[in-house]
Amino acid sequence: MTAELVRGQNHTLPQTRLEIRVSAGTPVVAGATLGDENGTVRGTEWIAHPGSPQLPGLEVSRQAAADHRLAVDLDALPAPVHRVTVLLALPMGAGCPARFGAVAAPYVAVTGLDGTEIATFTLTGLDTESAVTALELYRRQGAWKVRAVGQGYAAGLAAMLADQGLPQAAELARTIQDAVTRATARSVAPPPPRTPDADRVGHGTGPVPPADRPRPSVAPPTAPEPLTEPTAPPPAATTGGPIDYAHPRRRAAAPPPPPPNTAPPAEPGRPAQPVAGDATGWSMDERLYNQIWGMFEDLARTTAAYRSAVDFAESRMDQELDRTLSDPRNRIGGAGDRAREQARAKRDELTARAREALDRDLAQLAAESAVVEPALPAAFAGWDNPVWHAYRVPMEIPMALRIGELHLPESPKLRIPLLVRLPLERGIWVDSGRTASEAAALMDTAQLRRLAMENAVAHAARLLAVYPADEFSVHVIDPAGSAAKALAPLVESGALAGPPAAGAGGVAAVLARLTRRVDLVQMAIRAGAADSLPPDLDTGEQLLIVNDFPHGFDDRAVTQLRYLADEGPSVGVHLLMVADREDASAYGPVLDPLWRSLLRITPVADDHLADPWVGHAWTYEPLRMPPGSRVLEQVLARVAAARRPRRV
């Protein structure tokens, strides 16, 4: 029976492997401290936080999220530890709430690995506090208990850490907030919930699955880490009336349930055969979108479960060996060898069982992927999908666009489409620098720059292809003209809004024109006077491709570029940068906000992206053209033929 705790109340814990689940309704930072028998935190090495998420027996989320799962193995904690204190804090930054009184009361549950709740605590009564000690697990006379605390701190995270006895609390609080900011920049944003009860696995960060969708067989131990729920950026403004910044495909009402599964019934004891579109949504495209996100989440969680099981098996073997070999009589002779063999055999058995469960889940997801991929619309499909050969210019904007594929080391052949919502909510940065990936190490700088620009051109072509005619324009800044060959498909097809801008004068002219557009549309929105926009203003969505940054940029141009990155997406102006961060190192931290505001992708395989649930490092694979294919040129030719002359 679940114990519903109030402040100060405690409850005995019946097991030592636990999850602490946090549901806050808004992104919060979750962490934990370890304390000795006197409650003393002996140093920063006894604190688990987003910048250092793992300690022996404890793992916390790597980023701010509305929902967390903290993994705790009380038997694996260091021997001096007698207390685990769970801390929550509001992240700092634009748009973040400043106090818990302005958001829903956080809900904390201590559960078993199977999700069974042992004790729960709702942190009511908070007001000006921006950090709170939620609960603590403590050991008393050999037994572990949980106590509801609910102690808030109006002075924030630094004050809460100082109360834990840490002398450098302010510095540590800054380190934690910096780690949260960095994690936000590298994470794939989850799809926003569509209804209050949209609950895939007990929290509102993902699409709603069909009731009979098979689930991964093992509950994951680590925390789901969605970012702040993204808001819909505006589509193109239109003259002659108010500017409507609601996505035409995003509805406020609850979507209908998925259609009945028309696949043949499964044999007893075997999962049902997957079908494409087996998710909720108003249209087939939305159902496919939700289904892909469901597959993404399932793969993340089942892999987390496997990794946790392997870690537990290794930890258990080490503990058994330590206990056995702590007796000097067992360190020599046959007793020690037998203990090692038994411990390793038990580890291998646990690992094999975990791999068996993982393989079963992977086979299920692979079968689902095999039926979903052929059913995808052009916006969701790779370049090798036959749907592109029947391409026609669409009449409306799709809800998302595929920009690559993701996979994990445990299942490199199972690829999950990486979809970003449309209109774009943040710019894209194609990193042309030498990254730590093996693929990048095998290429020289010139090859990487060429691949990065070809990748950017392909992304621009996809954006042009999925928007209706005359609702999307592409501008290019190529100061030195070094990308002429890569840009040839866009230039020769006539799909660009104008010739690529070269030299410092060309850079200044394009940036001035787009900055003016952002300013005018923002003023029209604030004044409620969309019909007063100049008639020569192109109110369609705009994409600016920037090559070789910061070559050709003076300080004013850099400031304008940062302004477009910050303010542009909200009024339909987006950045697609091809740059090596090292080339801009002379600007130092001035450009850090620019890099963080962009979604970083690479022209070669690289494991730099994190999922919004458990924070795995996923390998990103850029989309490739089939060898000898002319599909890019054919698509751009049809786009150009459907366009009328553009306003400057």
Side-chain angles (χ1 to χ4, degrees):
M1 183 177 178
T2 303
E4 298 182 3
L5 305 181
V6 296
R7 279 182 175 82
Q9 189 176 0
N10 59 40
H11 182 74
T12 301
L13 296 172
Q15 58 200 81
T16 57
R17 295 197 71 202
L18 306 164
E19 284 184 351
I20 299 174
R21 304 188 179 190
V22 179
S23 180
T26 191
V28 297
V29 180
T33 60
L34 305 180
D36 58 19
E37 63 270 25
N38 298 318
T40 302
V41 181
R42 297 186 177 181
T44 56
E45 67 276 8
W46 272 26
I47 302 176
H49 58 80
S52 178
Q54 292 182 321
L55 296 177
L58 177 64
E59 183 171 1
V60 304
S61 304
R62 293 168 174 80
Q63 57 198 40
D67 299 89
H68 294 270
R69 291 186 186 180
L70 284 63
V72 181
D73 185 350
L74 298 174
D75 289 338
L77 295 172
V81 172
H82 283 65
R83 183 173 301 174
V84 179
T85 305
V86 178
L87 315 175
L88 303 178
L90 293 171
M92 299 174 62
C96 297
R99 57 190 185 90
F100 275 108
V103 300
Y107 173 83
V108 184
V110 180
T111 76
L113 293 186
D114 60 355
T116 303
E117 291 186 343
I118 299 169
T120 64
F121 175 41
T122 302
L123 284 77
T124 57
L126 298 177
D127 186 11
T128 61
E129 298 89 345
S130 60
V132 61
T133 301
L135 52 79
E136 62 182 12
L137 313 180
Y138 64 97
R139 183 162 51 188
R140 182 70 53 82
Q141 297 178 348
W144 282 93
K145 298 183 178 182
V146 56
R147 176 187 292 121
V149 181
Q151 174 64 51
Y153 296 84
L157 183 58
M160 181 167 61
L161 294 173
D163 197 41
Q164 297 278 321
L166 292 164
Q168 298 177 329
E171 181 179 347
L172 179 59
R174 286 193 297 270
T175 300
I176 294 173
Q177 295 289 1
D178 288 345
V180 171
T181 302
R182 289 194 301 271
T184 299
R186 68 183 288 265
S187 296
V188 180
R194 282 166 169 69
T195 60
D197 58 349
D199 187 356
R200 181 175 178 81
V201 286
H203 56 82
T205 60
V208 186
D212 58 350
R213 175 181 174 88
R215 300 296 307 156
S217 53
V218 185
T222 49
E225 304 167 67
L227 305 183
T228 56
E229 296 170 357
T231 56
T238 55
T239 56
I243 302 176
D244 183 4
Y245 278 80
H247 192 289
R249 301 286 293 281
R250 298 181 192 175
R251 322 258 182 122
N261 191 330
T262 57
E267 298 178 13
R270 301 186 63 180
Q273 295 184 25
V275 295
D278 192 14
T280 59
W282 289 98
S283 65
M284 185 61 174
D285 286 4
E286 187 170 6
R287 292 197 294 270
L288 286 168
Y289 173 83
N290 286 344
Q291 187 172 14
I292 288 170
W293 270 95
M295 294 164 58
F296 187 15
E297 181 179 357
D298 286 350
L299 182 55
R301 294 193 182 282
T302 193
T303 303
Y306 168 73
R307 293 180 181 179
S308 174
V310 171
D311 290 344
F312 173 71
E314 293 285 349
S315 174
R316 180 172 177 174
M317 180 186 71
D318 292 341
Q319 292 176 26
E320 290 178 352
L321 289 176
D322 289 343
R323 284 195 297 267
T324 300
L325 299 180
S326 62
D327 186 347
R329 293 172 297 180
N330 293 333
R331 294 176 186 171
I332 57 175
D337 293 338
R338 285 193 298 273
R340 292 185 184 93
E341 292 176 1
Q342 291 173 357
R344 289 174 184 144
K346 191 173 296 183
R347 182 227 20 217
D348 293 344
E349 178 188 359
L350 291 173
T351 301
R353 286 164 52 190
R355 185 71 211 194
E356 180 182 356
L358 175 66
D359 288 342
R360 183 170 60 249
D361 291 337
L362 293 180
Q364 173 187 312
L365 287 169
E368 188 170 9
S369 178
V371 299
V372 168
E373 280 286 353
L376 295 178
F380 298 1
W383 287 116
D384 56 350
N385 193 307
V387 71
W388 284 106
H389 295 287
Y391 168 76
R392 295 290 182 272
V393 176
M395 300 298 293
E396 59 180 4
I397 305 171
M399 67 185 306
L401 179 73
R402 185 172 183 158
I403 62 169
E405 297 173 338
L406 300 172
H407 63 86
L408 291 171
E410 288 83 356
S411 52
K413 294 183 179 180
L414 180 56
R415 306 294 177 91
I416 303 295
L418 174 56
L419 304 179
V420 294
R421 294 296 291 266
L422 292 181
L424 292 173
E425 296 163 346
R426 60 195 293 198
I428 297 175
W429 165 30
V430 184
D431 190 350
S432 61
R434 186 172 297 283
T435 63
S437 71
E438 180 180 350
L442 298 175
M443 295 185 179
D444 59 30
T445 302
Q447 285 179 299
L448 284 172
R449 291 181 186 273
R450 176 180 57 80
L451 283 177
M453 195 61 201
E454 290 175 354
N455 194 257
V457 169
H459 289 310
R462 292 178 71 88
L463 283 163
L464 282 165
V466 301
Y467 270 79
D470 300 318
E471 291 192 17
F472 197 88
S473 298
V474 177
H475 310 262
V476 176
I477 290 178
D478 185 21
S482 59
K485 185 176 180 180
L487 289 168
L490 291 174
V491 175
E492 294 172 0
S493 67
L496 290 180
V507 171
V510 172
L511 291 177
R513 187 162 61 248
L514 292 178
T515 300
R516 171 179 175 268
R517 182 197 181 282
V518 171
D519 290 340
L520 289 175
V521 175
Q522 283 186 336
M523 287 189 290
I525 294 172
R526 296 191 188 105
D531 53 353
S532 65
L533 287 170
D536 64 336
L537 187 74
D538 180 3
T539 54
E541 298 274 315
Q542 312 287 314
L543 177 71
L544 174 60
I545 302 177
V546 179
N547 185 41
D548 276 350
F549 177 79
H551 181 75
F553 281 72
D554 56 19
D555 289 346
R556 176 180 173 81
V558 169
T559 301
Q560 288 177 316
L561 190 69
R562 285 187 54 186
Y563 176 73
L564 292 178
D566 293 339
E567 303 294 335
S570 65
V571 289
V573 177
H574 313 285
L575 286 185
L576 177 52
M577 290 188 60
V578 180
D580 179 356
R581 190 168 182 173
E582 288 300 317
D583 292 344
S585 58
Y587 287 93
V590 172
L591 290 180
D592 285 351
L594 172 65
W595 304 120
R596 285 198 299 264
S597 69
L598 304 173
L599 173 62
R600 175 177 172 257
I601 58 177
T602 52
V604 294
D606 190 84
D607 60 348
H608 66 284
L609 290 176
D611 66 79
W613 298 287
V614 295
H616 291 316
W618 291 74
T619 297
Y620 168 81
E621 293 275 359
L623 297 175
R624 302 292 186 198
M625 291 287 174
S629 173
R630 300 282 299 171
V631 65
L632 179 64
E633 290 78 4
Q634 293 168 2
V635 167
L636 286 175
R638 291 176 182 172
V639 169
R643 294 162 63 91
R644 56 182 170 79
R646 303 296 294 169
R647 292 187 293 268
V648 178

